[in-house]
Amino acid sequence: MSGDEVFQKNQKIVEDQFQSAEMPLEDDRRDEIRESEDDKFVLDYNVEEQLEKAKAFKKEGNDEFGQGNYNESVAAYTKGLRNCPDSEAEFRSILFANRSAARMKLGLKDDAIKDCTQALEHNPNYVRALLRRAKLYEELEKLEEALADCNAVLQLDSCNKEARLAAQRLPGEINERNEKLKTEMLGKLKDLGNMILRPFGLSTENFQLQQDGSSGGYSVNFKK
């Protein structure tokens, strides 16, 4: 056998080995793609199935709420949230908002506020959740927070009557409350001052507070 024949024979062996090594890799890759597609189908199916369960629990929660069974309503909405896929942000926001309404009926104001906040994290433009949280804040005398939520509603819907009326009313209530707190604080300071000054034959009556009309601050003048 000549040298050329030997070279051609060896080259044929190498090519055959290379092709035989490549074929399983291609088959394995096809199997991986097929398995990946199957997994995606199962995942999509599970998401749809979980969403349907969440919708069923939402309906149950609505029915219980309508009958005044607020504890059962809370439980149903909670089950809905446990089943609702994270990818369904808008539907999750509705479940949180609905649960906040049920908790509000039960007097669980702090928990209701937390649910409103969760609803807004999933849907920042959820007007109903903003209005409900504003009302809850006002009931808890967190007036600045209530005003902030009302202003947020007006940014989304300038014609919202409820938010507009509250935004007009709350600043006055905030000022009134602050003045009341200031008066109470000054009264407590006066009592403390009298206790300290009494051993020296003095009282806070010897000191006159004068408010600066421009700055709103106070100065102290001594008088005999």
Side-chain angles (χ1 to χ4, degrees):
M1 182 180 294
S2 68
D4 290 341
E5 292 175 339
V6 171
F7 176 78
Q8 291 176 356
K9 182 177 181 181
N10 289 338
Q11 186 178 27
K12 183 68 168 59
I13 292 173
V14 171
E15 288 176 352
D16 291 343
Q17 289 177 344
F18 180 76
Q19 290 177 356
S20 64
E22 280 293 311
M23 289 304 292
L25 287 176
E26 291 179 359
D27 291 340
D28 290 343
R29 181 58 180 162
R30 291 193 193 98
D31 290 340
E32 289 177 7
I33 294 172
R34 192 177 301 112
E35 289 174 4
S36 176
E37 290 175 347
D38 290 343
D39 289 343
K40 184 177 184 302
F41 174 78
V42 171
L43 182 61
D44 289 343
Y45 175 78
N46 287 339
V47 167
E48 189 63 31
E49 185 180 37
Q50 293 302 107
L51 181 58
E52 289 304 314
K53 288 181 181 179
K55 289 179 178 179
F57 282 123
K58 173 181 175 288
K59 183 180 183 304
E60 179 184 337
N62 291 348
D63 292 341
E64 296 288 1
F65 187 95
Q67 297 171 24
N69 302 324
Y70 302 120
N71 280 311
E72 291 78 1
S73 180
V74 167
Y77 292 135
T78 300
K79 290 176 183 177
L81 285 164
R82 288 173 181 166
N83 281 276
C84 187
D86 292 337
S87 58
E88 299 294 327
E90 185 172 353
F91 194 73
R92 289 184 67 82
S93 72
I94 293 172
L95 288 169
F96 275 118
N98 286 6
R99 192 172 70 175
S100 77
R103 285 178 162 171
M104 189 175 179
K105 289 289 188 180
L106 292 168
L108 304 174
K109 296 179 182 180
D110 288 328
D111 289 335
I113 285 174
K114 290 177 182 177
D115 278 343
C116 288
T117 300
Q118 290 270 37
L120 290 164
E121 286 177 0
H122 288 84
N123 181 6
N125 298 330
Y126 202 161
V127 169
R128 184 177 297 179
L130 281 167
L131 286 172
R132 183 173 296 134
R133 191 172 68 174
K135 184 176 181 180
L136 287 161
Y137 275 143
E138 186 172 358
E139 290 178 1
L140 292 174
E141 298 185 357
K142 297 182 178 181
L143 303 183
E144 287 87 355
E145 291 88 340
L147 179 59
D149 277 350
C150 289
N151 287 333
V153 170
L154 292 174
Q155 290 290 325
L156 298 168
D157 178 10
S158 60
C159 297
N160 190 286
K161 183 177 179 180
E162 183 179 350
R164 187 172 69 253
L165 291 174
Q168 292 171 352
R169 171 175 47 81
L170 285 170
E173 293 183 6
I174 291 171
N175 289 335
E176 183 180 348
R177 181 207 58 190
N178 289 345
E179 287 299 321
K180 182 180 178 182
L181 290 173
K182 189 185 297 182
T183 301
E184 291 176 356
M185 181 187 67
L186 289 174
K188 291 177 181 178
L189 288 174
K190 184 177 180 179
D191 292 341
L192 178 62
N194 284 332
M195 184 178 67
I196 295 172
L197 293 169
R198 190 173 297 116
F200 302 98
L202 297 171
S203 73
T204 54
E205 297 300 325
N206 297 111
F207 300 89
Q208 184 178 16
L209 283 176
Q210 289 185 333
Q211 187 175 17
D212 187 324
S214 59
S215 67
Y218 289 86
S219 61
V220 181
N221 297 321
F222 179 75
K223 65 177 182 178
K224 295 182 180 181

